């Protein structure tokens, strides 16, 4: 059924705009798409139209693809309504032409929508309003699903926010986009952070702390170093401190893309006190022998791999670096620490050890398909 104005007119939040989906009439905690697991905050869908190129979309924009899709029929107001199943849309949408055919002379109250829709050619689509509907699908009655009505007579789109309610699952190649959306945080450009136990660096007993002064930075690269310091602070890797027993001068390394990598000269300070890690790092020859019967290979390169492991407070102060901008404790496992390779290799081996045909080697993870795999 198409819902009228009675229930919504009595709601105390009828004028409230959801901070998750931008639709007026409910709070974020009651947002159906969010509760159903749909990703609302970043609708950055790819252009899947044949011959089209992917373009990033701003927040709260949806790319409605018109490439070949599966179709299904859903009954609204006991009338069949054909939808194109579209993984590229976070929301379910019908045209105003279809809506006028379904409403059977009733004039339901449409509530406002704060979203911005675009078609596969990136042209704006005018939203007429949003309505909660009761539908019938596979001989089941499903109530209160949000439906967006847009002006025009284009095809109706069954978006991801209805999938769970309708029991629709995606398999095969088409499932990849759904998986990427479900685990979007794993593919984010932001630095990841392991949520397990903090790394604790072990040092020898009765070692006197070493504090060295900051080294001079050439004027030509000083601005680049300061930009990188700001980035590391924004990521939470570096944190300014007024004093530390340990102080390691930094060594700026110019990368091929023109940016700076900041490393600590740990061999002159903290590495003198560091206890070696007991984990035996596998040799390259043993890894090569384990993949010799492989047929298909893929490699994942973990970005800032060591720095995805957080360290405890003592280890953060132990890794403190000193620069022309002051001292910074290092809250993540730092490159240059002598025990870091063993710590990270032990971590990644334990993390992936129960997954067959996966070979981790520091920040590279090789996936192999064997003949018998």
């Amino acid at each position: 059924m198409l819902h009228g104005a009675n229930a919504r007119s009595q709601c105390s939040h009828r004028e409230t705009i959801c901070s998750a989906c931008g639709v007026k009439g409910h709070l974020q905690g009651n947002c159906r798409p969010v509760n159903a697991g749909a990703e609302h905050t970043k609708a950055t869908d790819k252009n899947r139209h044949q011959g089209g190129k992917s373009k990033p979309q701003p927040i709260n924009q949806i790319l409605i693809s018109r490439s070949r899709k599966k179709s299904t029929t859903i009954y609204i107001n006991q009338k069949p309504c054909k939808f194109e199943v579209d993984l590229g849309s976070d929301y379910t949408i019908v045209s105003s032409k279809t809506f006028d055919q379904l409403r059977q002379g009733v004039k339901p109250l449409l509530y406002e929508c704060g979203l911005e829709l675009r078609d596969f050619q990136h042209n704006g689509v005018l939203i007429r309003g949003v309505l909660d509907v009761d539908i019938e699908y596979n001989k089941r009655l499903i109530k209160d699903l949000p439906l967006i009505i847009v002006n025009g007579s284009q095809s109706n789109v069954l978006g991801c926010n209805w999938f769970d309610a309708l029991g629709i699952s995606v398999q095969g190649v088409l499932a990849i986009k759904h998986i990427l959306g479900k685990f979007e945080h794993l593919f984010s450009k932001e630095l990841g952070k392991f949520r397990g136990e903090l790394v604790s660096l072990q040092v020898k007993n009765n070692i006197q702390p070493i504090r060295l002064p900051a080294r001079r930075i050439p004027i030509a690269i000083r601005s680049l170093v300061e930009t990188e310091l700001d980035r590391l602070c924004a990521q939470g890797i570096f944190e300014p401190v007024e004093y530390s027993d340990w102080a390691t001068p930094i060594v700026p390394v110019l990368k091929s893309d023109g940016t700076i990598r900041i490393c600590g000269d740990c061999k002159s300070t903290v590495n003198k006190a560091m206890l070696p890690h007991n984990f035996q790092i596998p040799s390259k020859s043993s890894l090569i022998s384990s993949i010799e019967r492989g047929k298909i290979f893929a490699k994942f390169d973990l970005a800032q791999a060591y720095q995805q492991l957080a360290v405890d407070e003592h280890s953060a102060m132990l890794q403190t670096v000193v620069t022309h901008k002051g001292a910074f404790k290092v809250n993540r496992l730092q490159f240059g620490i002598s025990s870091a390779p063993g710590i990270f290799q032990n971590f990644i081996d334990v993390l992936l050890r129960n997954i067959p045909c996966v070979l981790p080697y520091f920040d590279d993870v090789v996936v192999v398909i064997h003949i018998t795999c």
Side-chain angles (χ1 to χ4, degrees):
M1 295 175 59
L2 296 176
H3 288 271
N6 292 336
R8 191 168 298 279
S9 63
Q10 298 173 5
C11 178
S12 59
H13 295 292
R14 61 183 181 275
E15 297 299 325
T16 302
I17 296 179
C18 174
S19 57
C21 69
V23 174
K24 180 184 289 188
H26 63 271
L27 297 171
Q28 179 178 353
N30 297 323
C31 184
R32 293 187 187 88
V34 169
N35 294 334
E39 298 295 333
H40 280 66
T41 54
K42 292 183 180 179
T44 54
D45 304 275
K46 294 183 179 178
N47 185 344
R48 295 187 287 110
H49 187 263
Q50 295 176 346
K53 295 183 179 180
S54 299
K55 292 185 178 180
Q57 295 294 309
I59 292 176
N60 283 340
Q61 286 191 350
I62 307 159
L63 188 60
I64 306 170
S65 175
R66 295 288 295 277
S67 58
R68 291 180 296 175
K69 311 178 185 70
K70 296 291 184 180
S71 297
T72 189
T73 299
I74 297 174
Y75 283 82
I76 302 177
N77 266 9
Q78 300 180 339
K79 288 188 175 183
C81 183
K82 187 176 181 180
F83 285 87
E84 290 182 348
V85 182
D86 190 353
L87 289 171
S89 176
D90 284 345
Y91 301 95
T92 300
I93 301 163
V94 299
S95 67
S96 57
K97 179 180 178 180
T98 300
F99 174 71
D100 291 337
Q101 294 172 350
L102 294 173
R103 66 180 186 173
Q104 297 179 330
V106 179
K107 292 185 179 180
L109 177 64
L110 301 181
Y111 53 101
E112 296 180 7
C113 176
L115 298 172
E116 181 181 347
L117 304 185
R118 293 186 182 277
D119 62 17
F120 69 97
Q121 293 179 331
H122 303 283
N123 298 318
V125 177
L126 185 60
I127 299 176
R128 184 170 168 181
V130 183
L131 191 69
D132 289 339
V133 296
D134 295 345
I135 69 166
E136 185 179 345
Y137 181 74
N138 280 349
K139 299 181 180 180
R140 292 190 302 120
L141 179 63
I142 306 169
K143 295 186 175 183
D144 295 335
L145 293 180
L147 183 66
I148 297 178
I149 297 92
V150 299
N151 286 352
S153 58
Q154 60 267 52
S155 300
N156 305 314
V157 174
L158 177 59
C160 298
N161 66 322
W162 278 26
F163 283 11
D164 287 344
L166 272 59
I168 295 177
S169 61
V170 184
Q171 300 177 353
V173 176
L174 291 176
I176 295 177
K177 182 174 178 63
H178 187 64
I179 292 173
L180 292 177
K182 184 177 181 180
F183 299 99
E184 183 180 6
H185 63 285
L186 297 179
F187 300 93
S188 170
K189 293 183 180 180
E190 301 297 327
L191 177 65
K193 180 181 178 182
F194 179 61
R195 299 178 182 177
E197 185 177 355
L198 299 177
V199 171
S200 180
L201 299 176
Q202 304 300 317
V203 295
K204 303 172 185 176
N205 295 326
N206 302 320
I207 291 293
Q208 192 70 21
I210 300 175
R211 299 181 72 250
L212 297 181
R215 294 175 181 170
R216 292 183 179 179
I217 303 297
I219 296 178
I221 64 170
R222 183 170 296 181
S223 62
L224 295 176
V225 172
E226 292 175 354
T227 298
E228 179 65 5
L229 287 173
D230 292 340
R231 188 185 71 87
L232 293 171
C233 287
Q235 287 184 322
I237 298 175
F238 280 13
E239 183 178 338
V241 291
E242 293 185 0
Y243 177 82
S244 173
D245 290 334
W246 291 86
T248 299
I250 64 169
V251 179
V253 178
L254 187 63
K255 297 162 63 176
S256 58
D257 61 359
T259 60
I260 290 289
R261 175 184 286 117
I262 293 180
C263 304
D265 185 14
C266 299
K267 66 180 181 181
S268 62
T269 55
V270 69
N271 281 351
K272 295 181 178 181
M274 196 67 57
L275 287 172
H277 196 273
N278 293 327
F279 186 79
Q280 181 65 41
I281 297 174
S283 64
K284 291 184 179 180
S285 59
S286 65
L287 292 175
I288 292 174
S289 64
S290 64
I291 66 174
E292 61 182 359
R293 293 189 298 116
K295 294 183 64 177
I296 302 174
F297 304 88
K299 187 184 78 169
F300 297 93
D301 186 3
L302 304 179
Q304 297 177 247
Y306 291 9
Q307 293 175 339
Q308 296 192 39
L309 300 184
V311 301
D312 58 26
E313 181 65 18
H314 170 73
S315 301
M317 297 301 292
L318 194 69
Q319 297 182 111
T320 297
V321 295
V322 60
T323 75
H324 68 289
K325 299 288 287 185
F328 299 84
K329 70 175 182 178
V330 185
N331 295 318
R332 306 289 183 95
L333 185 61
Q334 182 71 315
F335 300 102
I337 297 294
S338 59
S339 59
I343 291 172
F344 187 83
Q345 186 65 38
N346 183 29
F347 158 77
I348 199 69
D349 273 6
V350 171
L351 184 69
L352 303 178
R353 62 186 172 189
N354 293 325
I355 305 178
C357 305
V358 172
L359 300 173
Y361 188 68
F362 298 116
D363 59 350
D364 291 328
V365 179
V366 179
V367 181
V368 186
I369 298 180
H370 292 104
I371 297 175
T372 58
C373 218

